[in-house]
Every structure is written in structure tokens, then in C-alpha cells.
Amino acid sequence: MTNATTTADTPTPARAIEIRALHKSFGDLQVLRGIDFAVDTGEVVCVIGPSGSGKSTLLRCTNLLEEPTQGHVLIAGTDITDPDVDIDRLRRRIGMVFQQFNLFAHLSVLDNLTIAQRRVLGRDKAEAVQVARQNLVRVGLADKEDSYPAQLSGGQQQRVAIARALSMGPELMLFDEPTSALDPELVGDVLAVMRGLADDGMTMMVVTHEMGFAREVADRVVFMDDGVIVEQGTPGEVLSNPQHPRTREFLARVLRPADTVTKP
């Protein structure tokens, strides 16, 4: 009886991300048409779909880089669309990695990783450097701390961008097609870092065209088209046995022979 009462009285943990009836328009162009969607803590969700389907807009609305036209976005139970919410404080809990690396060209790798820690989080230099170096090790670039972005390959710059986001201590990570600007031979190192984050239990929402990564790493795959979620499920369900004709049509065009191993 005691255990039952305790269980009943224990509040259900808030989801890492919860999106309710989300709409986004740019003028007369409706990009998102009523999205209902959630990501649980520790879950890796890959969002796939054709260009123009609303994937990146959904991601940018998730941390309010784009203001939703209608609907609500909750991060760990807090509605970030509430005008009274301190959005800057909430954004500190969310790491964001873009298609372009957005590094400061005039700063070294180490300085790129410490500047926001010191200015936004108020860390002193010694602590910021320690955290930065730990994350450079994590992405395999410990020997590049004194380099400048122009001295790095695109893949290395993207790994620095991931390390910079991690240095802020986020609770969840958003990735907006993080390999789309890279030469094919540089993609693997970035995906390997992301696999490592998933293995460590990081909550991740990833907009991607890398179907092999989605098969191997995602807990759930979401297929979007024309501003709506058409289909979602495990990688095996969506990528190997899609139910919707639009999903099947899309996958027939983008799946490669190498994209064969599905996460159990």
C-alpha cells in the first residue's frame, strides 16, 4: 500500500521537449502547420524529410530562434513561449549546432570555447579553460586549442562548434543538418562525435540527411513533409517499413546501399 501511494504521489518527470499545436508562417507562407511532438530525456530523435518540409524551422522554434506564430514549446516543463519567461536563461540549457560553424575567425579554438562561458555563465578563466579542454578531448581535438578556424578542416571546425556548445553544460543538444556543409570524407568524424554523445545519454534532436546515422543512433525517426509530421517511429519502422506513401517515396530517393544496419 505504501509503495502504491508513493508511486501515485510521485510527479511524472517533464519531457525534455514538448511542442503543442505549433504553427509558423513567414508572411503568407505556412511553414509549420500544427506540430505536436515531444522528446523524452535521454532520447535521440532524428528528423528527416525533403528540403522545405519545415525541419529546420521546427528546430529553430524549439529554442525560440524563430518565434512561433501559434502554439507552445516547453523545455523541461517550462513554456518558453510565455512572454514572462527568461528565455536567455533557458537557452543556456540548450546546445545548438548549425549547418555553418559560426566560429569567431579572429579567436583561437580555445578562446572560441571560453568566451561564452566567461561572459554568459560568469566562469573565471581557469575554470572556463579546464571545461574547454575537457570538451576538446571529447571531440578529438585536444591538439588544436591554439589553432584558428581558418587552419582547420570543415569537419574539425564543426567538432569545435560541438565542443563549444558542450562547454556551456547543456541538458539537450539540437543539431541542424550538422554535416550538410562538409565534404563527404569529413562527415564521419562529426557523426562519430555525435554517436559518442548519444552513448553518453545526451538528449538530442537532430535534423539530418544522414540515413545511416539515423538507423544506427536514433531512438525515434520523424518524417516531415509540407509542414506536418507524416510518420514517426523506431528506425526500423520508419526507414525499413514505412507506412505512408510519401515516406516511401522520399526514402526510395535518398536511401543508399550502405544505409543498411538498423539500431535494434
Side-chain angles (χ1 to χ4, degrees), residues 71-84:
H72 298 274
V73 178
L74 287 78
I75 301 296
T78 299
D79 188 349
I80 66 173
T81 56
D82 184 333
D84 294 328

Side-chain angles (χ1 to χ4, degrees), residues 55-75:
K55 307 182 303 295
S56 292
T57 300
L58 173 62
L59 201 73
R60 292 175 66 86
C61 284
T62 300
N63 67 351
L64 233 59
L65 289 178
E66 294 288 355
E67 188 83 29
T69 305
Q70 182 181 331
H72 298 274
V73 178
L74 287 78
I75 301 296

